[in-house]
Structures are given as C-alpha cells and as structure tokens.
Amino acid sequence: MFISRPVHTHKLLSFHRVVLLLAGLLCITLWMSGCRPALQSPPARPVYVLAGSNVSAGFKNNALYVFDVDATESNLSADPLRTALPFSWARYLNRAPDGTLWIGFGGDFNHNDDRVQVYRPDGTLTHTLHPCANPEAGITFAAGRVFVACSDDGFTGAVAVLDAGDFSPVATLPLAHPGAPMLLVGSGADEQYVVITAMTIGPNPERSYALAVVVDARKAEVIAQVQLGPDTDVWTVLPHAGRFYLLNAASARSPARSRPDVLILDPAHPETWEPLTLPLAAPLWGQIVAGELYAYHNPGWNTTQQANWRGLSRATLETGAGEMWQLEERFEAGGLAVWDATPCLAHWDYWQPAATHGVYCLEADGELRQRLSAPDAADVVIP
C-alpha cells in the first residue's frame, strides 16, 4: 500500500527565498561597484579618471572611471566602466607598477578617514587598507614598497610604508615641524627616494611656506627635512633622472629676480636646490615626458588673493624655455596627464552642468576641448 506524501512547499519556498536573497545581494554589490559587473580585462588603451573632491556636493558623484581610448576618441559620450567610491575626499589617483590603482581618502570637514583602496585595472575593488589617518597626500611606489603620505591632524603627518606584495606594514614614519604645523599635500618617488611636501608657516604670516621631506626608500627612513623658503607651495613632485622637480604654485607671488617656478632637488644633497623659471608662473600640476615638463598654472590656488588667469605650458627641463597657452579665466583643474603628446586636464566646475565636466585636452589648433565626460572629474591618469 502506497501512501502519497505531501510536498513540503515551505522547504521549496525557503530555497527560493535564498535564491532571491543571493540575487538581491548580487544586485546591491553591482550597484555599489557602478551598476554593472566589472570588465573581464581592462581596455588595451585605458584612461582613468577620478571624481572625488566635490565637497560642496557631498561627494555624491565620487567614482573611478575606466575609459577605453579606442571607443571614446570618436564618441565623447561612450559609456565607461564606473565604480562608485566612498563619500570621502579623494584628490589623487595613483597607478602602481603592476597596473593596480590606489586611492587614499581624507574624510570631510567633520570626519577623518583612514582608508586606502586598491583597484584592479578594470576598476574592481580588491583591498581596503587602513594605514594611517587621512591618507590624502599621495601614494607612491619604490623599492618594492608602497609609501602612503597621510596628513593626520594637519599639525603633524606620517608616512605609512607597506610591502608592495602583501601590503603588510613595514614602518610608520612620523613627520613634524617643531614649533609649527605641517600639513602634507604632495609626494613623488623614484626607485631610491621618496619626497613628500607639506605646507607650514614662517616668520611672515602674509607669505606661504613649504617643506620637503626626503625618505630613503630602501631603508624606510627619513634622511632630510628642508624648508623651501617663503612664497613656496608645492603639491606636485616629479622625479626625473635622479632629481626631483617641485612645482611651486606660489611662484607668482615671489619677488625673486629668478622666479622659482620649479625647485630642482637633488635628494642626495637636499639642503640646496636650484630654481627653474617656466614660461608661466604658478605651476600646480604637471608631468614630465621625454625631458619636457607639461604644467597647468593656477596663481589663485590655495590663496585668498584674487587671480583669475589660468594657463598651460610645455618647457624643456634643461632651460625652462618652451610654449605657453592661456586658458579661459578660472578654468579649474585637479590634475594633468599627457595623452599622445597632448596635455590634458581633469576639470569640474560647481557652477556648470555636469556634462561639461571631464577631461579637456589641448588640441593641435591650440584650443582646449573636452574629450571625455565625467561629473566632478578631479584627477586623470593615462598610462
């Protein structure tokens, strides 16, 4: 005699609930990473754009964009891969020798942050690290290590040194300037040295002052800390041929006969440096390509003084001679990269529509035109 057994529908419903729950979690994960799954491989010719510094908008557009150059050269609105980022200040996008992308977050006006996030070249998040407070002054790579410059509380700073392989901590180097605040703002590295720059104060409260810290990358030790003098403000540090080129955004305010647009620092002898005068004053962001320095100039950066003009320049490192181009007034840029021998700027403007934000390049006819569209574009990296 056979007895029919009822189907246990509650078990089937539970199974379906699990499937729906997993599907929902997957959907949320994809939404958090930019509304679609990451690419299986990055484009052959990628351009990376960071949106992360629009404090006034509450960082609502924070994102990492991966553009395919071949798809966007003829189509400004080509759809990039977009990965959402935390609602926290992010000023620099850094690409490691292995192609991974590093971003340090500096919080907001009310909260600090200690996160450093690592992304694959296709924009997929792989690691979230917590090396030190406010890692917002740049992340550099040297001697098989990662150097994270942290502004801490703005009165002192630190450099967290990590192993580039497993990200394990190697050392934490505290930085301070006796009797004065020290706000870390920029960094650069070659295979032997790391140079970090900071804002500080000096004897004349109406003038700006900067510091440079030199770290031996192999020993993970601070070997020098030098004052750069009045009318200095350095946010970009560019290594080249064993020396470091410090772009001085405050040079327009200097009365020196030989205007110190760039301070050339030999890390083996950091107590002295030589100035280099460019076609325009106040270089803020830049890149060195084939012995030439491309720079974006902004005399209104980090000052209460009214200065509306903006410019681009290209100059040989040997002499400083070269070309310059005036941009429209108050054309703000958060970073510069060179795209096929063309200087390009990451641009956003709170007062302009988001469609006008993105990457602008100086074309052959001398006009600056938009190539890529990205709301709140703050930095750009072009491998």
Side-chain angles (χ1 to χ4, degrees), residues 335-346:
L336 177 148
V338 178
W339 185 344
D340 295 334
T342 299
C344 299
L345 302 173

Side-chain angles (χ1 to χ4, degrees), residues 13-350:
L13 289 174
S14 296
F15 173 75
H16 285 294
R17 286 194 186 100
V18 171
V19 172
L20 290 173
L21 177 60
L22 291 176
L25 290 175
L26 177 60
C27 182
I28 292 172
T29 301
L30 295 180
W31 175 77
M32 289 296 292
S33 65
C35 305
R36 56 186 172 277
L39 298 175
Q40 295 300 312
S41 60
R45 300 174 62 205
V47 172
Y48 301 103
V49 178
L50 169 68
S53 62
N54 194 341
V55 182
S56 57
F59 307 113
K60 66 178 182 180
N61 291 323
N62 274 19
L64 171 63
Y65 294 88
V66 183
F67 288 90
D68 185 340
V69 170
D70 296 323
T72 57
E73 282 187 329
S74 60
N75 182 10
L76 182 65
S77 61
D79 192 23
L81 176 72
R82 179 186 183 277
T83 302
L85 298 180
F87 291 178
S88 183
W89 181 281
R91 185 171 60 242
Y92 296 121
L93 174 63
N94 309 272
R95 184 173 180 267
D98 65 359
T100 55
L101 305 165
W102 292 64
I103 302 173
F105 295 91
D108 55 30
F109 289 125
N110 300 313
H111 305 90
N112 290 330
D113 204 337
D114 66 352
R115 285 174 292 183
V116 167
Q117 291 191 333
V118 186
Y119 295 83
R120 285 201 291 261
D122 66 357
T124 304
L125 175 65
T126 63
H127 295 83
T128 297
L129 312 174
H130 304 271
C132 46
N134 297 325
E136 60 181 351
I139 301 170
T140 53
F141 312 92
R145 292 167 174 168
V146 183
F147 295 81
V148 183
C150 299
S151 62
D152 201 359
D153 60 2
F155 293 92
T156 60
V159 179
V161 186
L162 311 176
D163 183 272
D166 60 10
F167 307 154
S168 60
V170 175
T172 299
L173 311 179
L175 301 179
H177 186 44
M182 182 179 187
L183 176 61
L184 275 58
V185 294
S187 56
D190 60 16
E191 272 303 302
Q192 188 171 355
Y193 298 100
V194 179
V195 174
I196 302 103
T197 55
M199 296 166 52
T200 187
I201 59 174
N204 187 340
E206 297 183 358
R207 305 177 79 176
S208 59
Y209 295 82
L211 300 167
V213 178
V214 181
V215 174
D216 186 309
R218 295 184 175 90
K219 296 180 180 179
E221 295 178 355
V222 175
I223 59 175
Q225 181 170 306
V226 296
Q227 300 187 51
L228 301 177
D231 304 313
T232 53
D233 189 17
V234 178
W235 295 67
T236 298
V237 178
L238 302 174
H240 178 74
R243 301 197 293 178
F244 285 79
Y245 291 75
L246 283 55
L247 305 193
N248 182 16
S251 69
R253 305 191 292 272
S254 174
R257 177 177 300 177
S258 179
R259 193 180 65 219
D261 297 327
V262 180
L263 308 177
I264 306 175
L265 183 72
D266 180 352
H269 306 282
E271 64 281 355
T272 59
W273 57 90
E274 59 180 285
L276 178 67
T277 301
L278 299 179
L280 286 172
L284 175 58
W285 314 121
Q287 185 175 343
I288 295 173
V289 177
E292 293 187 317
L293 171 61
Y294 296 81
Y296 163 76
H297 302 256
N298 183 348
W301 179 263
N302 198 31
T303 178
T304 58
Q305 298 182 17
Q306 188 74 11
N308 293 334
W309 69 264
R310 306 289 183 264
L312 276 170
S313 72
R314 180 182 58 81
T316 62
L317 294 179
E318 290 184 0
T319 65
E323 301 176 272
M324 63 179 181
W325 300 267
Q326 293 286 343
L327 306 179
E328 66 178 68
E329 286 194 351
R330 301 180 66 86
F331 186 88
E332 307 301 337
L336 177 148
V338 178
W339 185 344
D340 295 334
T342 299
C344 299
L345 302 173
H347 166 72
W348 73 270
D349 188 334
Y350 178 76

